[in-house]
């Protein structure tokens, strides 16, 4: 690393290990020499039903205006989001995926030596973005059952702490924190620490804690949501953050002028209103999740009770099972990079995809577990 290229590179980049995404369908199709349609991808918690038909129609129409720069201020979508949640447009920021807003938070608030507190098995992007800005990630062990420990999180806060991530439900564990735990935490967290509620899977919950109250109360908190999961628009890269107007103002200064493209804005706006598609997705998810949990139990496999659209399951050797499943055209997520080498995470698919996954899993596991 003494090359001229590294000479002036930001020193924190030396330690930064790039995000390892779910394996793309096209990659596996190429490797196996089979058509992409034959592959089942249950690796990135995408919507098995696809986008809302209304979103697709809106995006088709928006294609005819693709020569124009998009509305960089995202007026209509921010307005619609604000209305839906009883906020003002000034409380909403759009991101190229909610991941981008995690980066905005880094641009705005993180300097070398600062600290970001997350739970031990948290979404990888928090650590990645902290590292990008030279901040240290403090990982707090979970309670039994992989539940984020908010008392220990509070205890981990120091004068260097700038951000705390509360992910509800959490990825990759699928666990939730209770409204009571959140309330107790918010009563005690210092004002200078930004509390980031990452709620990428919020819409899958029946009875979600009301974290938007902290936005209304003007607390140092931001709620992140996305169109990538229940809305089925992951490829479009669009998410949003809701926070007090002053905090949104600061974040707006950190973004590129046209960070969210016009197709994404059109699709998201139409999708947001399609509550029927969301309800259908939630129902399919719940049914599939129950099927997976029951099948794992019958196979003698430990799984973490999930509140999201994926399940974390202990298969003994996650990497091996991941690779054996690949040979059968099934993509799940190995959990080595999440320090869970015995586990894989599988997204809930359509009934047919779930069945194909379970059959393949039974075939690659040792005989005892395969006896379903
Ligand atoms: C999927 C996911 C996101 C959403 O990312 P996008 O950039 O909006 O696609 C954010 N946080 C967590 C924990 C996730 O699992």
């Amino acid at each position: 690393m003494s090359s001229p290229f590294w000479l002036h590179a930001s020193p924190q980049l030396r330690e930064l290990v790039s995000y390892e995404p779910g394996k793309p369908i096209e990659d596996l199709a190429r490797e196996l020499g089979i058509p992409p349609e034959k592959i089942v991808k249950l690796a990135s918690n995408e919507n098995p039903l696809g986008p809302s038909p209304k979103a697709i129609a809106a995006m088709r129409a928006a294609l005819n205006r693709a020569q124009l720069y998009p509305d960089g201020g995202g007026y209509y979508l921010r307005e619609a989001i604000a209305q839906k949640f009883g906020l003002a447009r000034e409380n909403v920021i759009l991101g190229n995926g909610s991941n981008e807003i995690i980066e905005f938070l880094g641009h705005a608030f993180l300097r070398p030596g600062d600290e970001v507190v997350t739970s031990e098995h948290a979404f990888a992007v928090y650590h990645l973005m902290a590292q990008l800005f030279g901040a240290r990630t403090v990982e707090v062990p979970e309670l039994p059952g992989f539940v984020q420990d908010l008392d220990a999180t509070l205890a981990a806060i120091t004068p260097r702490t700038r951000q705390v991530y509360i992910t509800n439900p959490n990825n990759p564990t699928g666990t939730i924190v209770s409204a009571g735990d959140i309330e107790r935490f918010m009563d005690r967290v210092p004002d200078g620490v930004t509390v980031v509620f990452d709620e990428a899977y919020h819409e899958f919950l029946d009875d979600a804690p009301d974290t938007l109250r902290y936005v209304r109360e003007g607390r140092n908190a931001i709620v992140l949501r996305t169109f990538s999961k229940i809305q089925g628009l992951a490829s479009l890269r669009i998410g949003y953050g809701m926070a007090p107007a002053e905090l949104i103002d600061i974040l707006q200064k950190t973004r590129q002028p046209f960070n969210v493209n016009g197709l994404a804005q059109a699709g998201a706006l139409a999708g947001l209103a399609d509550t029927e598609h969301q309800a259908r997705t939630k129902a399919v998810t719940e049914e599939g999740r129950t099927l997976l949990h029951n099948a794992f139990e019958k196979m003698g496999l430990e799984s973490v009770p999930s509140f999201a659209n994926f399940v974390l399951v202990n298969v003994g050797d996650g990497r091996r099972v991941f690779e054996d499943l690949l040979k059968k055209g099934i993509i799940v997520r190995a959990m080595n990079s999440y320090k869970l080498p015995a586990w894989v995470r599988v997204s809930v698919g359509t009934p047919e995809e779930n069945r194909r996954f379970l059959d393949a899993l039974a075939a690659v596991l040792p005989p005892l577990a395969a006896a379903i």
Side-chain angles (χ1 to χ4, degrees), residues 281-328:
T281 302
K282 184 167 181 282
V284 165
T285 302
E286 285 168 2
E287 200 176 313
R289 195 172 61 201
T290 303
L291 177 93
L292 292 176
H293 276 306
N294 289 343
F296 294 148
E297 199 184 328
K298 277 193 205 140
M299 296 165 101
L301 301 175
E302 178 192 6
S303 65
V304 182
S306 170
F307 292 84
N309 64 344
F310 54 83
V311 180
L312 188 65
V313 55
N314 188 333
V315 293
D317 183 346
R319 192 87 216 166
R320 183 188 70 75
V321 168
F322 163 74
E323 276 162 13
D324 287 352
L325 287 174
L326 283 185
K327 291 176 203 145
K328 294 182 174 295

Side-chain angles (χ1 to χ4, degrees), residues 19 44-45 95-102 122-126 167-172 198-201 224-229 233-235 237-240 309-310 338 345:
Y19 184 71
S44 302
N45 309 335
N96 196 270
S98 56
N99 273 306
E100 194 189 30
I101 302 172
I102 300 171
F123 187 45
V125 173
Y126 312 146
T167 317
N168 205 30
N170 185 50
N171 174 15
D198 185 344
E199 300 185 350
Y201 305 95
L224 305 182
R225 305 240 175 109
T226 181
F227 289 93
S228 297
K229 305 289 159 54
L233 296 175
S235 177
R237 311 304 306 124
I238 181 162
Y240 54 105
N309 64 344
F310 54 83
Y338 283 91
R345 191 195 66 199

Side-chain angles (χ1 to χ4, degrees), residues 45 79 111-112 146 156 160 166 179 194 211 246 257 265 284-285 288 294 317 319 362:
N45 309 335
E79 191 68 35
R111 266 164 288 283
F146 292 109
R160 306 302 313 251
I166 298 178
T194 305
T211 47
E246 254 184 295
Q265 290 186 42
V284 165
T285 302
N294 289 343
D317 183 346
R319 192 87 216 166

Side-chain angles (χ1 to χ4, degrees), residues 198-261:
D198 185 344
E199 300 185 350
Y201 305 95
H202 168 83
E203 297 86 351
F204 294 100
L205 294 179
D206 285 322
D207 196 11
D210 175 22
T211 47
L212 287 177
R213 68 177 261 207
Y214 303 114
V215 175
R216 292 190 203 100
E217 289 168 5
R219 297 288 305 272
N220 190 355
I222 181 164
V223 176
L224 305 182
R225 305 240 175 109
T226 181
F227 289 93
S228 297
K229 305 289 159 54
I230 203 153
Q231 291 281 355
L233 296 175
S235 177
L236 273 290
R237 311 304 306 124
I238 181 162
Y240 54 105
M242 297 176 282
E246 254 184 295
L247 175 49
I248 294 293
D249 260 354
I250 294 171
L251 297 177
Q252 292 283 18
K253 291 174 191 282
T254 70
R255 69 172 179 86
Q256 291 278 330
F258 303 106
N259 63 314
V260 177
N261 73 76

Side-chain angles (χ1 to χ4, degrees), residues 124-148:
V125 173
Y126 312 146
H127 173 82
L128 228 89
M129 288 301 116
Q131 179 74 26
L132 181 60
F133 296 100
R136 196 166 76 84
T137 305
V138 177
E139 297 181 353
V140 177
E142 285 112 20
L143 297 163
F146 292 109
V147 173
Q148 186 164 8

Side-chain angles (χ1 to χ4, degrees), residues 5 81 287 332:
F5 308 109
I81 291 167
E287 200 176 313
V332 297

